């Protein structure tokens, strides 16, 4: 394990002429060529020449005394379900191999507006459906901390690229924990914002009512920097909140005596023993610093997972209807349009995607809709009210994952166990509240994370607490050796 | 025979400016194929719909004009079916169940039967706002025989109103009158231009003598509404007379051949997997929106507009003619407000000018084919003051004006009697020989004299009959005086 300069420090040092963006770009490209063969974090990479050229352009600008953006010289990786007009966007699916969208996602426009260099598109479970990044049409991504293990998913490529130093910052997406679970498995930070704080325009949809594009990085300050750039109202997304741009980067470390943390029984229990011990260790540590710990209950949490999967699958089945072999690369090649559609969908989608479409269609069917989809939305409302009630007065401390990163293939056979990996994270998506996962310990070389959940638009408080925790753990900026 | 008819009318909001969820144009006519498109209306992954304010305003005004119950908020739903012209394979629409909330429920339409001046009513079940799909073009062989289909997405995402009536309609003619009335109202609301190609489609449900309900789809004109339903009544009656049974089915109106054809059996409800579109949060209907829509609806109250005209003693036929040709109504109002006599103004505009436009093959719905109100006012004044007979105005002035509505009136008015008299006097003095010839019985000499008078008057429009009359009168009186 070693520590890299945080991205925000690097950007500052570029601007002050202390560090050279070009030299830095070479370093990152080196890490990529060293690790990619094993890890497979990227589906497509920008050409190294172009990356260096961009870094040179930034360096020239700085030398000439020009004003440069907040992310000038930083190499940002972007999950491959976020549209870029200059690199293919596959969503990890054969269906979209190779699809080059005619437009950039709003978040990508905002990155470019701050002079970020987009270094490549990261691997994911097909259409973000998965918790391990094994279900990509482009092969699994491996966990740099132990290549026999998964990096979590579905934003596993983003997390892995950060963990081996193959990017400075990354954009993931989080529908039920897809940015936070990989963060927990790779000792990185994943920050799912309040629903509507970040524009979804250009995010290939999986579960529209649940997901947010989410900043990922190696430190709390870095995810805050990225959130400030990508957040804020977007007229192209009707679900985006009409709020000012977030200002979390300048948040200061929390004063422990003014922090209240709620231990929600249902979100604290049920994890493997090593994880539970780590969880309590950091909480006791915080308590000794003056943080108030309070107990809370969320009985409906047991229904969160089925409600989450019902809603997500229903929305997915609808969103994925458009892939019919007409516009997109995978063609059916049948003798009629109907056959074309069938063949394109048969060949283009992987097993997990097909399974989720079928279950989603079932949940929306006449006669079953009330029992499944409508019932799930009712549970969601109750759960949301409960979470809002609790987070009004405290930040919820929760496990990030019930287990350490599993080995490749280990969990895939048992879908219920696979889905259960999301048990702690789906609550924030159902409730629409912000949640941050950060590393707290290593156990036998494998990272363990913790999750903080706040009130809607309470991002700044989470960043403040995250900074405090990071100071205690000393795990900002860690990468594998 | 008891006939029960219910209609489902799809009307494009062609005047909404933009498509329902993006900035492409609502009226795509005349544009090159697949140029009126963007990531949103092509349904590309990641592109998101944002509801056009204008479309909601227009739909709300329609809902108020049809006296609907207005919800506190509206919710769009996704309706799923696979079709090549539907790029997302779901249509963003509305549904009254599964969490959807349409813009209108339980309204009523009053429509006029202009042959009896009776107002009839039909209940409106609901109104949906939804997006139009693209347009599929089949090659030779049509939908079943064509080896391939071409799709133009220029229409994809155009805002539509789906207006569903209760089965309150009793005759095919009433069905046509209702649709005509509705379209006229929508024109006054500024929602649509009913004369655009393909701007509305009607599906009709019809049941004869308590038989099963048959749906006739794809009716594209108001005349065809009546034709298709008459055809169905005939078809169903014949089957029953022969001892057959009417099955519940969906049929397709073939306008070319004037028949309905079976499309598919409706044995079960289609599965559309409705659920609220998660990309579109509920839209609150605010007091401000209602106020604005009410103002719009008031301007489209056809019954009130007709009443206003009748109160001015305009005959109902003329009043209805003015109403159904919107530019003529506007012109009528302006002329009357300038002081024009309402009845005469109505007669000029609603009967003779409109008739003349049709005669000349000009579009009466194009405001530029109508003269300015000042010109109309002048015609009214000239008629009333007796300077010209109405026949002269109708026979000479209106045709000239219809061919050039912006013409200055003095350039097309026939010579008044006094001017003609002066010219006649001069010609008689100058053309002694011709007068003598005429008196000696050479009648063609009179034609020569008429020509001379016309020439003297100049290039102004003048009726030769009037000149002939004046000449004869003058010559006769001279003879009498001489002796």
């Amino acid at each position: 394990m070693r520590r890299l300069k945080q991205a925000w420090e690097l950007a500052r040092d570029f601007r002050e002429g202390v560090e050279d963006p070009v030299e830095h770009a070479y370093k990152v490209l080196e890490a990529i060529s060293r690790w990619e063969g094993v890890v497979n974090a990227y589906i497509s990479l920008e050409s190294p020449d172009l990356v260096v050229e961009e870094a040179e352009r930034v360096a020239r600008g700085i030398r000439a005394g020009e004003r440069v953006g907040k992310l000038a010289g930083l190499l940002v990786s972007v999950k491959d379900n976020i549209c870029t007009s200059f690199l293919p966007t596959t969503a990890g699916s054969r269906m979209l191999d190779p699809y080059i969208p005619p437009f950039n996602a709003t978040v990508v426009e905002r990155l470019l507006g701050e002079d970020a260099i987009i270094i490549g598109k990261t691997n994911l479970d097909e259409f973000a459906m998965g918790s391990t990044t094994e279900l990509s049409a482009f092969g699994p991504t491996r966990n740099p901390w132990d290549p026999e293990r998964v990096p979590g998913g579905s934003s596993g490529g983003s997390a892995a690229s950060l963990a081996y130093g193959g990017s400075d910052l990354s954009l993931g997406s989080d529908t039920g924990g897809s940015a936070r679970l990989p963060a927990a498995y790779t000792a990185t930070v994943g920050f799912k914002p309040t629903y509507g704080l970040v524009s979804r325009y250009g995010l290939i949809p999986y579960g529209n009512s649940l997901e947010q594009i989410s900043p990922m990085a190696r430190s709390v300050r870095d995810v805050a920097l990225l959130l400030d750039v990508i957040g804020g109202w977007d007229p192209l997304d009707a679900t985006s909140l009409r709020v000012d741009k977030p200002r979390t980067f300048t948040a200061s470390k929390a004063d422990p005596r003014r922090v209240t943390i709620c231990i929600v029984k249902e979100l604290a229990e049920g994890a493997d023993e090593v994880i539970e011990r780590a969880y309590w260790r950091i909480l006791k540590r915080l308590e000794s610093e003056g943080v108030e710990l309070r107990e809370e209950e969320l009985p409906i949490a047991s229904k969160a997972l089925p409600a989450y999967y019902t809603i997500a699958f229903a929305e997915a089945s609808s969103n994925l209807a458009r892939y019919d072999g007409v516009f997109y690369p995978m063609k059916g090649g049948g003798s009629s349009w109907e056959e074309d559609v069938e063949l394109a969908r048969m060949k283009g989608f992987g097993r997990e995607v097909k399974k989720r479409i079928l279950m989603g269609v079932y949940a929306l069917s006449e006669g079953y809709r009330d029992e499944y989809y409508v019932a799930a939305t009712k549970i969601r409302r109750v759960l949301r009210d409960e979470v809002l009630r609790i987070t009004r007065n405290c930040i919820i401390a929760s496990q990030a994952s019930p287990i350490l990163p599993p080995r490749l293939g280990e969990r895939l056979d048992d879908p219920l166990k696979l889905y259960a990996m999301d048990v702690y994270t789906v609550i924030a998506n159902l409730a629409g509240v912000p949640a941050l996962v950060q590393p707290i310990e290593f156990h036998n070389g494998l990272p363990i994370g913790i999750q903080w959940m706040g009130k809607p638009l309470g991002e700044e408080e989470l960043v403040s607490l995250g900074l405090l925790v990071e100071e205690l753990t000393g795990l900002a900026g860690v990468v594998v050796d | 025979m008891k006939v029960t008819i219910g209609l489902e009318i799809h009307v494009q909001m062609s005047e909404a400016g933009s498509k329902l969820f993006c900035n492409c144009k609502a009226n795509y006519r005349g544009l090159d194929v697949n140029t009126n498109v963007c990531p949103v209306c092509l349904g590309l992954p990641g592109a998101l719909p944002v509801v056009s304010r204008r479309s909601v305003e227009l739909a709300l005004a329609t809902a108020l004009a049809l006296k609907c119950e207005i919800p506190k908020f509206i919710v769009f739903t996704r309706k799923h079916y696979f079709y090549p012209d539907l790029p997302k394979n779901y249509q963003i629409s509305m549904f009254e169940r599964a969490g959807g909330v349409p813009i209108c429920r339980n309204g009523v339409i009053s429509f006029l039967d202009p042959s009896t001046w009776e107002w009839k009513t039909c209940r409106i079940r609901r109104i949906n706002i939804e997006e139009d799909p693209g347009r599929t073009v089949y090659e030779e062989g049509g939908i079943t025989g064509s080896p391939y289909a071409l799709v133009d997405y220029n229409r994809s995402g155009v805002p539509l109103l789906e207006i569903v009536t209760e089965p309150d309609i009793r005759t095919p003619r009433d069905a046509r009158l209702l649709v005509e009335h509705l379209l006229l109202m929508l024109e006054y609301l500024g929602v649509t231009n009913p004369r655009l190609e393909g701007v509305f489609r009607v599906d009709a449900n019809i049941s004869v003598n308590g038989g099963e309900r048959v749906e006739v789809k794809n009716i594209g004109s108001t005349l065809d509404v009546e034709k298709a339903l008459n055809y169905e009544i005939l078809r169903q009656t014949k089957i029953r007379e022969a001892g057959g049974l009417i099955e519940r089915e969906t049929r397709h109106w073939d306008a070319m051949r004037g028949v309905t054809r079976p499309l598919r059996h409706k044995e079960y409800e289609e599965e559309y997997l409705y659920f609220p579109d998660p990309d579109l949060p509920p839209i609150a209907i605010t007091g401000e929106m209602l106020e604005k829509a009410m103002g719009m609806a008031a301007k489209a109250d056809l019954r009130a507009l007709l009443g206003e005209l009748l109160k001015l003693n305009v005959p109902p036929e003329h009043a209805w003619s003015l109403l159904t040709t919107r530019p003529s109504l506007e012109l009528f109002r302006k002329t009357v407000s300038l002081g024009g006599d309402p009845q005469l103004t109505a007669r000029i505009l609603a009967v003779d000018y409109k008739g003349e436009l049709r005669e000349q093959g000009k579009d009466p719905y194009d405001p530029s084919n109508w003269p300015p109100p000042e010109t109309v006012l002048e015609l009214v004044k000239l008629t009333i003051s007796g300077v010209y007979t109405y026949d002269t105005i109708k026979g000479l002035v209106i045709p000239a004006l219809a061919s050039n509505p912006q013409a200055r009136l003095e350039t097309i008015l026939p010579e008044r009697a006094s001017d003609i008299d002066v010219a006649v006097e001069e010609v008689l003095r100058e053309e002694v020989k011709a007068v003598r010839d005429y008196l000696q019985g050479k009648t063609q000499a009179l034609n020569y004299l008429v020509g001379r008078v016309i020439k003297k008057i100049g290039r102004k429009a003048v009726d030769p009959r009037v000149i002939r009359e004046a000449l004869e009168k003058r010559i006769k009186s001279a003879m009498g005086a001489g002796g």
Side-chain angles (χ1 to χ4, degrees):
Chain A
M1 185 195 303
R2 63 202 171 94
R3 282 180 182 73
L4 295 179
K5 231 180 225 184
Q6 293 181 38
W8 68 271
E9 296 170 311
L10 204 51
R12 178 199 61 199
D13 291 351
F14 291 152
R15 287 193 294 269
E16 290 173 358
V18 182
E19 289 261 11
D20 178 12
V22 181
E23 230 170 79
H24 173 69
Y26 278 118
K27 258 190 236 167
V28 173
L29 288 170
E30 243 175 65
I32 288 173
S33 57
R34 177 180 156 208
W35 283 96
E36 251 326 87
V38 179
V39 172
N40 190 32
Y42 285 97
I43 291 177
S44 47
L45 278 162
E46 191 56 272
S47 92
D49 292 348
L50 211 87
V51 171
V52 171
E53 240 171 68
E54 282 294 298
E56 279 168 348
R57 192 180 56 82
V58 169
R60 269 199 309 277
I62 289 169
R63 277 197 302 275
E66 288 166 18
R67 262 186 69 113
V68 293
K70 285 182 198 155
L71 305 181
L74 295 181
L75 305 176
V76 183
S77 61
V78 174
K79 190 176 180 180
D80 209 24
N81 59 352
I82 297 171
C83 289
T84 48
S85 61
F86 46 90
L87 282 172
T89 302
T90 68
S93 180
R94 273 189 299 276
M95 192 62 95
L96 293 176
D97 181 23
Y99 167 64
I100 302 182
F103 64 98
N104 281 328
T106 296
V107 292
V108 170
E109 288 293 333
R110 290 184 181 177
L111 288 181
L112 297 175
E114 293 293 344
D115 295 325
I117 301 168
I118 293 174
I119 186 165
K121 304 294 292 290
T122 57
N123 202 8
L124 67 156
D125 293 297
E126 187 177 1
F127 286 106
M129 298 178 184
S131 308
T132 61
T133 317
E134 291 166 281
L135 303 173
S136 165
F138 302 87
T141 295
R142 289 167 183 270
N143 193 329
W145 296 100
D146 177 355
E148 293 306 307
R149 294 176 185 266
V150 302
S154 63
S155 310
S158 286
S161 78
L162 289 164
Y164 74 68
S167 63
D168 299 319
L169 298 168
S170 190
L171 287 185
S173 71
D174 191 314
T175 311
S178 276
R180 288 165 288 153
L181 193 69
Y185 286 177
T186 58
T188 56
V189 182
F191 196 4
K192 186 206 85 76
T194 305
Y195 186 79
L197 184 59
V198 176
S199 166
R200 290 186 297 112
Y201 192 83
L203 171 65
I204 294 184
Y206 158 31
N208 323 41
S209 74
L210 299 158
E211 61 208 8
Q212 280 285 286
I213 292 173
S214 302
M216 300 173 75
R218 285 181 299 261
S219 77
V220 172
R221 185 77 76 199
D222 283 353
V223 287
L225 170 69
L226 193 48
L227 178 67
D228 290 2
V229 169
I230 63 170
W233 182 62
D234 177 12
L236 297 179
D237 176 359
T239 63
S240 112
L241 298 170
R242 274 189 183 255
V243 292
D244 292 338
K245 279 187 86 66
R247 281 198 210 153
T248 55
F249 177 64
T250 48
S252 48
K253 190 186 73 184
D255 173 355
R257 283 159 309 176
R258 305 180 68 167
V259 174
T260 309
I261 289 177
C262 285
I263 320 279
V264 175
K265 205 176 72 187
E266 292 80 357
L267 303 181
E269 294 172 350
D272 283 356
E273 206 188 325
V274 282
I275 293 177
E276 225 170 275
R277 276 208 302 268
Y279 172 81
W280 285 109
R281 234 182 332 263
I282 188 71
L283 288 177
K284 291 295 170 195
R285 181 79 202 276
L286 283 165
E287 192 176 30
S288 73
E289 297 285 325
V291 168
E292 184 194 338
L293 298 185
R294 196 189 291 167
E295 285 189 13
E296 272 288 353
E297 283 184 9
L298 187 63
I300 199 165
S302 63
K303 297 205 172 86
L305 209 54
Y308 165 78
Y309 275 108
T310 304
I311 292 168
F313 292 180
E315 292 180 1
S317 69
S318 168
N319 293 326
L320 270 59
R322 75 193 69 199
Y323 306 108
D324 58 10
V326 176
F327 282 180
Y328 307 104
M330 176 57 75
K331 302 292 176 198
S335 60
S336 68
W337 176 75
E338 287 83 354
E339 213 180 293
D340 262 358
V341 174
E342 274 180 37
L343 289 172
R345 291 170 74 79
M346 195 175 85
K347 294 188 282 186
F349 290 140
R351 272 178 65 91
E352 181 65 22
V353 171
K354 285 176 189 156
K355 190 158 62 187
R356 294 191 184 200
I357 290 173
L358 289 177
M359 289 197 276
V361 166
Y362 184 72
L364 286 176
S365 303
E366 202 69 51
Y368 297 96
R369 188 194 294 122
D370 290 348
E371 203 177 325
Y372 292 100
Y373 176 75
V374 175
T377 58
K378 283 178 187 158
I379 292 173
R380 180 180 193 177
R381 265 199 299 278
V382 175
L383 181 126
R384 180 166 189 272
D385 290 347
E386 280 298 291
V387 171
L388 293 188
R389 179 185 61 77
I390 297 172
T391 54
R392 203 172 300 139
N393 303 311
C394 62
I395 290 170
I396 296 175
S398 138
Q399 310 288 2
S401 164
I403 49 170
L404 290 169
R407 289 174 206 284
L408 266 78
E410 188 182 325
R411 291 246 145 195
L412 272 180
D413 308 331
D414 184 346
L416 287 181
K417 269 192 182 167
L418 186 70
Y419 294 167
M421 281 161 72
D422 298 332
V423 64
Y424 301 117
T425 46
V426 297
I427 306 240
N429 303 86
L430 286 167
V433 298
L436 184 137
V437 164
Q438 65 181 142
I440 45 172
E441 289 189 9
F442 277 80
H443 176 78
N444 293 340
L446 294 175
I448 296 173
I450 195 166
Q451 172 174 228
W452 311 112
M453 241 182 278
K455 60 176 183 246
L457 298 175
E459 274 79 3
E460 196 179 341
E461 278 173 23
L462 294 186
V463 169
S464 292
L465 174 60
L467 290 170
L468 173 65
V469 172
E470 201 168 73
E471 195 185 68
L472 300 177
T473 62
L475 288 176
V478 294
V479 289
V480 291
D481 278 317
Chain B
M1 186 170 51
K2 186 174 181 290
V3 175
T4 311
I5 300 168
L7 300 174
E8 201 178 295
I9 305 149
H10 291 88
V11 189
Q12 288 180 349
M13 297 197 247
S14 64
E15 309 306 289
S18 74
K19 287 185 179 177
L20 186 49
F21 300 116
C22 62
N23 288 327
C24 295
K25 293 186 184 72
N27 186 4
Y28 50 86
R29 288 155 188 90
L31 300 172
D32 283 343
V33 167
N34 287 320
T35 56
N36 188 37
V37 292
C38 73
V40 175
C41 57
L42 288 177
L44 299 187
L48 293 171
V50 179
V51 181
S52 125
R53 264 186 87 84
R54 188 63 189 156
S55 291
V56 175
E57 280 173 6
L58 292 174
L60 191 58
T62 306
L64 286 172
L66 294 174
K67 303 181 176 58
C68 296
E69 290 166 12
I70 310 290
K72 289 199 165 52
F73 55 87
I74 55 174
V75 177
F76 284 94
T77 41
R78 293 184 179 181
K79 175 182 180 177
H80 301 81
Y81 61 94
F82 278 77
Y83 211 75
D85 58 19
L86 194 63
K88 301 184 293 292
N89 287 322
Y90 63 81
Q91 179 193 32
I92 304 177
S93 177
M94 286 174 163
F95 188 55
E96 66 269 44
R97 290 182 284 130
V101 183
I103 186 102
C104 148
R105 257 186 266 201
N106 303 328
V108 65
I109 182 168
S110 301
F111 59 101
L112 180 68
D113 183 338
S115 63
T116 60
W117 306 107
E118 182 194 351
W119 286 86
K120 297 175 173 172
T121 59
C122 173
R123 289 169 300 154
I124 302 289
R125 186 177 297 168
R126 64 173 161 77
I127 301 178
N128 286 348
I129 310 173
E130 60 186 32
E131 51 177 353
D132 215 354
R135 209 166 54 83
T136 310
V137 183
Y138 297 98
E139 285 304 292
E140 193 78 23
I143 190 164
T144 47
S146 175
Y148 59 89
L150 300 171
V151 185
D152 177 7
Y153 293 95
N154 280 353
R155 196 178 72 179
S156 173
V158 165
L160 278 184
L161 290 177
E162 183 194 76
I163 301 165
V164 182
T165 78
E166 295 290 347
D168 293 348
I169 306 162
R170 295 285 161 256
T171 68
R173 181 168 178 275
D174 280 353
R176 167 174 64 82
L177 291 174
L178 184 151
V179 176
E180 282 172 354
H181 200 96
L182 177 68
L183 290 172
L184 185 62
M185 212 178 81
L186 292 173
E187 184 184 0
Y188 274 86
L189 285 166
V191 169
T192 199
N193 177 354
R195 287 164 299 280
L196 291 177
E197 161 74 26
V199 83
F200 71 96
R201 302 187 283 283
V202 180
D203 301 338
N205 280 296
I206 177 164
S207 147
V208 181
N209 287 331
E212 276 288 359
R213 195 180 69 181
V214 172
E215 187 180 16
V216 183
K217 280 190 171 287
N218 188 42
I219 309 174
S221 81
T222 54
L223 289 177
D224 279 352
V225 170
E226 190 171 347
K227 276 193 218 162
L229 289 169
N230 275 327
Y231 178 87
E232 263 310 297
I233 292 174
L234 196 69
R235 188 186 69 85
Q236 294 184 27
T237 312
K238 271 188 177 167
I239 291 177
R240 300 200 61 182
E241 277 170 5
L245 233 116
I246 303 301
E247 281 182 80
R248 183 162 176 184
E249 63 170 338
T250 301
R251 299 177 71 85
H252 186 87
W253 171 242
D254 183 339
M256 292 285 283
R257 294 184 172 76
V259 297
T260 66
R261 302 172 180 287
L263 201 63
R264 56 171 182 251
H265 287 274
K266 211 172 184 180
E267 289 157 359
Y268 52 91
E269 285 295 314
E270 287 105 329
E271 179 62 82
Y272 287 125
L273 307 176
Y274 289 106
F275 79 108
D277 192 323
D279 290 331
L280 296 164
I283 299 171
I285 304 296
T286 62
E288 200 182 325
M289 288 163 83
L290 280 171
E291 207 169 300
K292 189 170 178 188
M294 269 189 262
M296 290 159 73
K299 287 183 192 145
D301 185 341
L302 299 183
R303 198 165 185 169
L305 289 173
L306 186 66
E308 200 182 287
L309 296 174
L310 297 180
K311 225 189 280 170
L312 296 168
N313 291 321
V314 173
E317 293 81 1
H318 298 181
W320 188 241
S321 169
L322 288 173
L323 265 179
T324 52
T325 317
R326 200 176 175 187
S328 74
L329 180 68
E330 311 274 320
L331 184 51
F332 170 84
R333 283 172 156 173
K334 282 183 192 149
T335 308
V336 169
S337 77
L338 291 174
D341 172 72
Q343 284 160 269
L344 193 53
T345 306
R347 182 175 173 192
I348 292 173
L349 297 178
V351 182
D352 296 308
Y353 193 93
K354 189 169 163 183
E356 187 57 34
L357 283 180
R358 294 213 186 280
E359 191 80 11
Q360 295 185 14
K362 289 184 146 186
D363 179 8
Y365 300 101
D366 179 352
S368 74
N369 284 331
W370 294 84
E374 292 75 15
T375 307
V376 182
L377 181 67
E378 197 54 37
L379 291 182
V380 171
K381 280 184 176 165
L382 288 170
T383 311
I384 287 179
S385 61
V387 177
Y388 295 102
T389 62
Y390 191 76
D391 281 351
T392 309
I393 298 286
K394 177 182 166 181
L396 290 171
V397 184
I398 287 179
L401 198 57
S403 68
N404 180 14
Q406 293 307 316
R408 282 170 38 240
L409 208 48
E410 51 272 31
T411 65
I412 50 174
L413 277 177
E415 277 309 308
R416 296 174 202 190
S418 58
D419 297 341
I420 293 173
D421 289 345
V422 172
V424 165
E425 236 19 85
E426 283 176 18
V427 168
L428 288 181
R429 250 200 321 276
E430 290 162 15
E431 304 287 344
V432 182
K433 181 174 178 298
V435 174
R436 196 181 298 133
D437 288 350
Y438 171 68
L439 288 173
Q440 285 168 358
K442 288 185 182 168
T443 46
Q444 67 268 41
L446 190 62
N447 291 343
Y448 170 75
L449 290 170
V450 169
R452 294 298 299 160
V453 173
I454 290 175
K455 194 165 182 193
K456 191 165 280 291
I457 291 168
R459 300 157 85 190
K460 294 172 189 175
V462 53
D463 187 347
R465 284 173 302 178
V466 177
I467 295 168
R468 183 181 291 267
E469 266 170 40
L471 274 169
E472 282 175 331
K473 210 168 124 194
R474 181 69 191 90
I475 293 170
K476 261 188 201 136
S477 74
M479 294 287 295

